[in-house]
């Protein structure tokens, strides 16, 4: 049993929850401070953590299950747990159901609006896994889906949305979409030859990298604009400068004629960016503002 669980957690890349979880916390933190002039309770943070674990685990499990046939044909993904036969489809399906149950339980213990909007989140989670079959905008759909993490964190605390969280949602969505485009350059030839839709397959590697850079320029502007729309101070601004520098470094690592450092840019830089920005945000609000 524990061996199967270990394989499942490896399959869904559990450690990559770090990409989105800090932004869920950031949304909750900003919502509590901006609208309610308080800090989130530990209970709220706990339920948000459980909701994020459930949502991401379900999403990754669905993606692996739905893409099983595609992954089997792709040399880069053929050794994943499902195509390699390390897990059965029924086992992954059971894990997905449990993950959605955790999301449901967590949502029921947060703001009532989270339960009302949960079907939309579930729809987005399911939709993404099919988009590569019919549109090269699949990366944007992924961004809009994972971007729900800060929006969900905000709504879970406040029950209502306002301009800052919509800005954060779009900013995070474009950040996710941008680095997913970079990640997809690894499958450029396979996607192009097998009818899998992606921005690299549609516009070529050089074009895809420029689109990713454009998305990340808007991301940088969004993080900076958030500074002006909230009570955040120099600490958040310092974190933003570091995060933007990481974005530029990521694009310096990846060149159209050299994709060897894509894993470093994808896994290392993006996890670091979300953690850095969250740490500086919580220092700003919890220490400097003393909420």
């Amino acid at each position: 049993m524990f061996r199967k669980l270990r394989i499942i957690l490896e399959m869904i890349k559990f450690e990559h929850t770090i990409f989105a979880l800090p932004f869920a916390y950031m949304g909750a933190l900003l919502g509590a401070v901006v609208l309610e002039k308080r800090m989130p309770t530990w209970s709220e943070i706990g339920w948000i953590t459980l909701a994020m674990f459930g949502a991401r685990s379900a999403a990754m499990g669905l993606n692996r299950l739905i893409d099983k046939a595609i992954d089997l044909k792709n040399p880069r993904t053929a050794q994943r747990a499902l195509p390699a036969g390390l897990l059965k489809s029924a086992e992954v399906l059971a894990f997905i159901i449990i993950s959605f149950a955790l999301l449901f339980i967590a949502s029921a213990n947060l703001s009532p609006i989270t339960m009302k909007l949960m079907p939309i989140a579930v729809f987005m989670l399911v939709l993404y896994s099919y988009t590569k079959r019919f549109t090269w905008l699949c990366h944007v759909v992924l961004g809009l889906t994972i971007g729900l993490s800060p929006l969900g964190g905000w709504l879970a605390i406040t029950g209502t949305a306002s301009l800052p969280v919509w800005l954060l949602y779009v900013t995070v969505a474009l950040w996710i979409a941008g680095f997913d485009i970079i990640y997809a350059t690894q499958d450029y030839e396979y996607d192009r030859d097998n009818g899998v839709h992606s921005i690299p397959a549609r516009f070529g590697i050089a074009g895809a990298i420029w689109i990713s850079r454009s998305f990340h320029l808007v991301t940088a502007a969004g993080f900076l604009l958030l500074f002006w729309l909230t009570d955040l101070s120099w600490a958040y601004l310092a974190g933003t400068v570091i995060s933007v520098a990481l974005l530029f470094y990521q694009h310096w690592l990846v060149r159209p004629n050299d994709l060897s450092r894509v894993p470093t840019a994808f896994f290392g830089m993006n996890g670091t960016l979300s953690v850095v920005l969250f740490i500086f945000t919580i220092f700003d609000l919890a220490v400097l503002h003393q909420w």
Side-chain angles (χ1 to χ4, degrees), residues 25 56 151 161 190 217:
Y25 291 153
R56 188 190 179 278
L151 180 59
Y190 174 82
L217 281 174

Side-chain angles (χ1 to χ4, degrees), residues 51-62:
M52 285 294 298
F53 172 76
R56 188 190 179 278
S57 297
M60 287 298 295
L62 276 167

Side-chain angles (χ1 to χ4, degrees), residues 64 68 71-73 77-87:
R64 295 294 187 255
K68 179 181 177 180
D71 288 344
L72 182 61
K73 296 177 184 178
T77 58
Q79 295 307 308
R80 286 176 174 171
L82 270 173
L86 300 177
L87 291 171

Side-chain angles (χ1 to χ4, degrees), residues 2-61:
F2 289 107
R3 178 178 173 273
K4 290 286 187 180
L5 180 60
R6 179 181 60 80
I7 294 173
I8 288 174
L9 292 178
E10 169 60 27
M11 177 192 71
I12 67 169
K13 298 298 180 184
F14 175 71
E15 66 275 15
H16 295 167
T17 305
I18 198 172
F19 290 167
L21 187 58
F23 283 112
Y25 291 153
M26 189 171 163
L29 188 65
L30 285 171
V33 171
V34 171
L35 292 188
E36 301 191 356
K37 308 302 180 184
R38 65 176 180 90
M39 291 291 285
T41 67
W42 285 111
S43 174
E44 290 170 330
I45 292 299
W47 289 120
I48 288 171
T49 303
L50 183 63
M52 285 294 298
F53 172 76
R56 188 190 179 278
S57 297
M60 287 298 295

Side-chain angles (χ1 to χ4, degrees), residues 25-26 28-30 32-34 37-42 45 231-236 277-291:
Y25 291 153
M26 189 171 163
L29 188 65
L30 285 171
V33 171
V34 171
K37 308 302 180 184
R38 65 176 180 90
M39 291 291 285
T41 67
W42 285 111
I45 292 299
D231 293 331
L232 292 163
S233 65
W234 64 266
Y236 167 81
L277 196 59
F278 172 67
I279 288 174
F280 276 85
T281 301
I282 196 169
F283 176 79
D284 192 322
L285 296 176
V287 178
L288 298 184
H289 284 78
Q290 297 182 345
W291 286 105

Side-chain angles (χ1 to χ4, degrees), residues 31-276:
V33 171
V34 171
L35 292 188
E36 301 191 356
K37 308 302 180 184
R38 65 176 180 90
M39 291 291 285
T41 67
W42 285 111
S43 174
E44 290 170 330
I45 292 299
W47 289 120
I48 288 171
T49 303
L50 183 63
M52 285 294 298
F53 172 76
R56 188 190 179 278
S57 297
M60 287 298 295
L62 276 167
N63 183 256
R64 295 294 187 255
L65 188 61
I66 293 168
D67 283 353
K68 179 181 177 180
I70 293 176
D71 288 344
L72 182 61
K73 296 177 184 178
N74 187 340
R76 188 180 67 82
T77 58
Q79 295 307 308
R80 286 176 174 171
L82 270 173
L86 300 177
L87 291 171
K88 297 178 181 178
S89 296
E91 293 170 330
V92 176
L93 181 60
F95 177 76
I96 292 168
I97 292 171
I98 292 171
S99 298
F100 274 131
L102 293 177
L103 174 61
F104 179 86
I105 292 169
S107 298
N109 284 275
L110 291 165
S111 171
I113 196 173
T114 58
M115 282 293 289
K116 295 177 181 178
L117 297 179
M118 193 180 69
I120 296 176
V122 172
F123 172 76
M124 294 289 288
L125 294 174
V126 174
L127 173 66
Y128 162 68
S129 294
Y130 287 101
T131 51
K132 66 180 68 175
R133 290 161 171 78
F134 60 86
T135 178
W136 48 265
L137 289 171
C138 53
H139 316 282
V140 176
V141 176
L142 177 64
L144 292 172
T145 302
I146 299 181
L148 292 172
S149 55
L151 180 59
W154 180 294
L155 291 173
I157 299 294
T158 67
T160 185
S162 59
L163 182 58
V165 75
W166 288 117
L167 173 64
L168 185 58
Y169 172 56
V170 172
T171 299
V172 172
L174 289 177
W175 169 63
I176 295 287
F179 78 66
D180 190 60
I181 292 169
I182 293 175
Y183 186 69
T185 59
Q186 298 176 106
D187 295 325
Y188 163 69
E189 293 183 0
Y190 174 82
D191 290 351
R192 182 195 58 190
D193 295 342
N194 290 273
V196 177
H197 295 266
S198 70
I199 283 180
R202 173 65 177 81
F203 297 99
I205 291 177
I209 289 176
W210 276 108
I211 292 172
S212 174
R213 289 172 179 171
S214 300
F215 282 4
H216 283 166
L217 281 174
V218 179
T219 295
F223 285 141
L224 289 170
L225 186 57
L226 188 65
F227 169 75
W228 300 105
L229 291 179
T230 61
D231 293 331
L232 292 163
S233 65
W234 64 266
Y236 167 81
L237 190 59
T240 298
V241 170
I242 295 171
S243 299
V244 170
L246 288 172
L247 278 178
F248 278 98
Y249 180 60
Q250 178 185 94
H251 287 283
W252 181 82
L253 287 174
V254 179
R255 313 291 175 85
N257 59 350
D258 181 11
L259 301 177
S260 62
R261 292 181 286 186
V262 166
T264 301
F266 181 81
F267 299 119
M269 295 298 100
N270 289 298
T272 303
L273 184 152
S274 60
V275 171
V276 164

